[in-house]
């Protein structure tokens, strides 16, 4: 009876071992299949994201390219306000000016106006997304890069313009999204460009009037001096 019990126990153990081996083999076979499926899903998601990004870029590119004449006109009027660095470098109208050093200029600079226009276009999607906020920051940042611009910041110690690295420009864009949410809504880009041009024209006219008044004052002072002599 003892031998029979031992034999039965041994047989049961062999069966359990066999089942365990079969299960392990099945799991080993399924593992590559799962990995392959996950890989395919990731590839598909990346392709879909690239298609969405290209769509956004195409739309924004069309928006941007419809304004170059006015953009260039605005750039020429604001160019005199931008500092040349020690190497003679100056931002182009496609470059976003970052930092507080050139804050008054950046509020009128063409690329900055377009940059904030893009922020407004994607603001609702950015706010609504929970885990994909970065992708909208990338879209806005890439719109500037794909159109030949970049993000520049003035180094007051070295007296030169520095191009921001991708990570830093992305941080600036994310921060801009948060700031835009708090700020009042801007005019549409075309109307905003016209308004900025009008403001600059008014400033020029006021500056010319002041120069004329100064010249008249100087002439009057010279005349009275000559009379008293």
């Amino acid at each position: 009876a003892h031998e029979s019990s031992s034999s039965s126990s041994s047989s049961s153990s062999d069966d359990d071992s066999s089942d365990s081996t079969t299960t392990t083999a099945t799991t080993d076979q399924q593992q590559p299949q799962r990995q392959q499926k996950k890989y395919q899903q990731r590839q598909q998601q990346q392709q879909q994201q690239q298609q969405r990004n290209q769509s956004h870029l195409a739309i924004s590119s069309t928006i941007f390219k419809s304004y170059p004449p006015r953009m260039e006109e605005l750039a020429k009027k604001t160019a005199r306000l931008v500092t040349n660095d020690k190497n003679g470098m100056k931002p182009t109208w496609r470059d976003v000016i970052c930092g507080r050093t050139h804050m008054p200029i950046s509020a009128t600079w063409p690329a900055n106006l377009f940059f904030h226009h893009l922020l407004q276009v994607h603001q609702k999607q950015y706010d609504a997304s929970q885990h994909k906020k970065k992708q909208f920051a990338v879209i806005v940042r890439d719109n500037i890069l794909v159109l030949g611009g970049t993000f520049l910041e003035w180094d007051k110690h070295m007296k030169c313009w520095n191009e921001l690295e991708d990570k830093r420009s992305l941080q600036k864009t994310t921060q801009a999204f948060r700031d835009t949410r708090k700020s009042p809504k801007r005019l549409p880009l075309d109307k905003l460009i016209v308004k900025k041009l009008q403001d600059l024209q008014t400033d020029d006219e006021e500056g010319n009037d002041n120069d004329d008044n100064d010249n008249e004052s100087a002439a009057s002072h010279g005349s009275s001096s000559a009379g008293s002599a």
Side-chain angles (χ1 to χ4, degrees):
H2 178 70
E3 290 178 358
S4 175
S5 176
S6 297
S7 175
S8 175
S9 176
S10 175
S11 176
S12 175
S13 177
D14 290 342
D15 290 343
D16 292 342
S17 176
S18 177
D19 292 342
S20 176
T21 302
T22 302
T23 302
T24 302
T26 303
T27 303
D28 290 342
Q29 290 174 355
Q30 291 175 345
Q31 192 68 19
Q33 295 176 353
R34 292 198 191 99
Q35 291 178 346
Q36 180 67 19
K37 187 176 181 180
K38 287 182 178 179
Y39 174 77
Q40 291 175 346
Q41 289 175 342
R42 283 197 300 270
Q43 288 288 98
Q44 186 177 6
Q45 290 172 353
Q46 289 175 356
Q47 289 175 355
Q48 290 174 348
Q49 185 58 51
Q50 287 176 353
Q51 291 174 354
R52 284 194 293 269
N53 289 355
Q54 288 173 357
S55 175
H56 287 305
L57 288 173
I59 292 171
S60 297
S61 176
T62 301
I63 294 171
F64 186 78
K65 288 179 179 177
S66 63
Y67 299 115
R70 306 296 284 176
M71 287 281 199
E72 290 177 351
E73 183 182 353
L74 186 59
K76 288 177 181 178
K77 288 183 176 293
T78 53
R80 65 182 185 273
L81 306 175
V82 180
T83 308
N84 279 38
D85 67 12
K86 59 185 180 182
N87 300 318
M89 178 181 174
K90 178 183 286 190
T92 71
W93 62 283
R94 296 172 184 269
D95 299 322
V96 175
I97 298 176
C98 305
R100 297 183 179 279
T101 305
H102 287 76
M103 184 69 78
I105 303 167
S106 62
T108 306
W109 194 248
N112 287 61
L113 297 182
F114 181 62
F115 175 67
H116 285 284
H117 169 74
L118 291 175
L119 292 172
Q120 283 194 337
V121 169
H122 299 292
Q123 186 71 56
K124 289 184 178 180
Q125 295 167 302
Y126 177 87
D127 291 338
S129 62
Q130 294 295 324
H131 308 291
K132 296 183 179 180
K133 293 184 182 295
K134 182 179 177 181
Q135 85 177 38
F136 292 105
V138 169
I139 289 171
V140 172
R141 191 272 312 275
D142 286 356
N143 267 279
I144 299 299
L145 302 181
V146 80
L147 295 170
T150 188
F151 290 75
L152 298 176
E153 192 168 38
W154 178 254
D155 187 328
K156 60 182 179 180
H157 299 294
M158 299 299 294
K159 305 297 182 185
C160 66
W161 290 100
N162 289 331
E163 182 176 344
L164 301 186
E165 296 178 352
D166 285 350
K167 183 178 180 181
R168 187 86 192 284
S169 62
L170 199 58
Q171 290 173 342
K172 289 283 187 181
T173 305
T174 303
Q175 181 61 50
F177 262 122
R178 292 195 289 267
D179 293 341
T180 302
R181 184 192 306 138
K182 303 172 188 176
S183 60
K185 191 172 182 179
R186 292 175 172 237
L187 290 170
L189 184 59
D190 54 343
K191 293 182 180 180
L192 187 59
I193 293 172
V194 172
K195 183 179 184 306
K196 294 295 183 181
L197 285 169
Q198 291 173 343
D199 291 343
L200 288 170
Q201 182 66 32
T202 301
D203 290 343
D204 288 342
E205 291 173 354
E206 290 178 352
N208 291 335
D209 289 342
N210 290 334
D211 290 341
D212 292 341
N213 292 335
D214 290 342
N215 291 335
E216 290 176 3
S217 177
S220 175
H221 179 70
S223 167
S224 62
S225 296
S228 62

